[in-house]
Amino acid sequence: MEQQLDHAAVCAAADRIAGALRPAAVVPASEGVWYALEYLQHTGSFKARGAHNFLAAHRDAGSLPDAGVTIASGGNAGLACAWAARAQSVPATVFLPVNAPRVKVERLRGYGADVRLVGERYADALAACREFAAVGGALSSHAYDHPLIAAGAGTLLEEIRAALPGLDTVVVAVGGGGLFAGVATAAREHGVRVVAAEPEHCRALNAALEAGRPVDVTVDSVAADSLGATRVSADALAAAQHKDVHSVLVPDTAITAARRALWQEHRIVVEAGAATALAALRTAPEPLGERVAVVLCGANTDPADLAAPAS
């Protein structure tokens, strides 16, 4: 099933997910700034968009096997895959290392997934997932590096534009690049500037831009649990090489401060990865635009530290 990431793919994804996903809420935050509350999405993150689009596209094409879908992920991608599979009555098999947090395992099972615990490391679970797909014929999904996954994520930009006429800039956090690639692809069609925000020590996209190709990076950030990809996707790099895309790095201190500010000022609880986008806005040396949307992309986090006094 050959796919490419372009605006037509985003539009097709929007048709597929219509009625199944929660439309993005866009609310005013301060003068010239709006928040896109994507953390309110099913499973608590934007990942539900890509997962639903991925399965629906394969179903439409007749390429969805009886064995269902499989993925190795205990994070937002795994949750989204399990949710989308349940919503479309598709078997889902999710592989995790044996030391995966019980709360993640139980949540995945709550979505109806068959959870397989294999090995001590994520790499062990990934290898088992690939073998399962090869032997049993299940459709192998990916957390971010697939055109259908990215196109599904890109539908968010279309919804933001519909809610916020005159949008000129969108700020989005980048991990492996699925959300960014989809959003940037849609934004380019409409002349919207994209600010790609990454932690200073979790900078797969920024490093790829420097090298001119995807390269492996070390990962060491408070936001690594959701933005900790060691290599960005080729689609994300291609999208980032457009003149209206700007790569920005922010320190962990700014990410932590932005996450706490969202709680203190708006009672919004998000992951550090989601707060990275706001951190880019808060640390920018000059205004990023006249009508700026900041994507708050995920809320699967423990809020306990937000209730404690700032250290």
Side-chain angles (χ1 to χ4, degrees):
M1 183 178 176
E2 194 68 27
Q3 294 289 324
Q4 63 178 348
L5 179 59
D6 54 22
H7 189 247
V10 175
C11 292
D15 289 339
R16 290 190 197 101
I17 72 172
L21 278 293
R22 294 170 180 158
V26 181
V27 301
S30 60
E31 183 66 30
V33 177
W34 285 257
Y35 292 156
L37 309 183
E38 185 63 358
Y39 67 91
L40 297 175
Q41 190 53 262
H42 291 290
T43 76
S45 87
F46 72 94
K47 296 281 189 181
R49 294 176 181 269
H52 190 90
N53 184 51
F54 180 78
L55 290 179
H58 278 281
R59 168 165 279 169
D60 292 348
S63 56
L64 188 58
D66 291 340
V69 63
T70 186
I71 191 171
S73 170
N76 290 341
L79 291 170
C81 181
W83 169 83
R86 184 184 68 174
Q88 299 183 58
S89 301
V90 175
T93 306
V94 181
F95 287 81
L96 299 172
V98 295
N99 55 3
R102 180 172 295 276
V103 64
K104 289 186 176 182
V105 172
E106 293 307 316
R107 192 169 180 199
L108 285 164
R109 286 176 175 155
Y111 284 129
D114 176 4
V115 181
R116 309 280 182 94
L117 302 177
V118 179
E120 300 288 337
R121 301 173 301 131
Y122 171 75
D124 300 326
L126 179 60
C129 178
R130 289 172 174 167
E131 181 180 4
F132 176 80
V135 173
L139 177 64
S140 184
S141 186
H142 195 279
Y144 60 87
D145 194 2
H146 192 285
L148 287 170
I149 298 292
T155 60
L156 175 59
L157 189 281
E158 301 292 348
E159 293 176 12
I160 294 172
R161 285 189 67 252
L164 184 55
L167 171 73
D168 58 60
T169 304
V170 61
V171 188
V172 60
V174 184
L179 175 62
F180 163 75
V183 165
T185 297
R188 183 167 64 248
E189 184 73 14
H190 303 295
V192 174
R193 180 176 181 247
V194 181
V195 175
E198 295 176 280
E200 287 180 340
H201 302 296
C202 202
R203 51 182 289 268
L205 179 64
N206 186 266
L209 284 168
E210 281 187 0
R213 58 185 175 83
V215 294
D216 288 337
V217 296
T218 56
V219 172
D220 181 16
S221 169
V222 67
D225 59 339
S226 54
L227 302 184
T230 56
R231 177 180 288 238
V232 79
S233 71
D235 281 333
L237 174 58
Q241 291 170 325
H242 190 267
K243 63 180 178 65
D244 284 337
V245 174
H246 300 269
S247 173
V248 174
L249 300 178
V250 293
D252 275 7
T253 52
I255 295 170
T256 300
R259 181 170 175 265
R260 181 166 289 276
L262 284 167
W263 168 248
Q264 292 179 336
E265 297 170 15
H266 304 285
R267 285 303 187 254
I268 288 175
V269 179
V270 295
E271 302 165 19
T276 299
L278 180 59
L281 176 73
R282 285 164 54 97
T283 58
E286 57 188 38
L288 297 180
E290 294 184 358
R291 293 175 72 79
V292 180
V294 178
V295 176
L296 302 180
C297 57
N300 291 316
T301 184
D302 183 351
D305 58 330
L306 291 172
S311 56

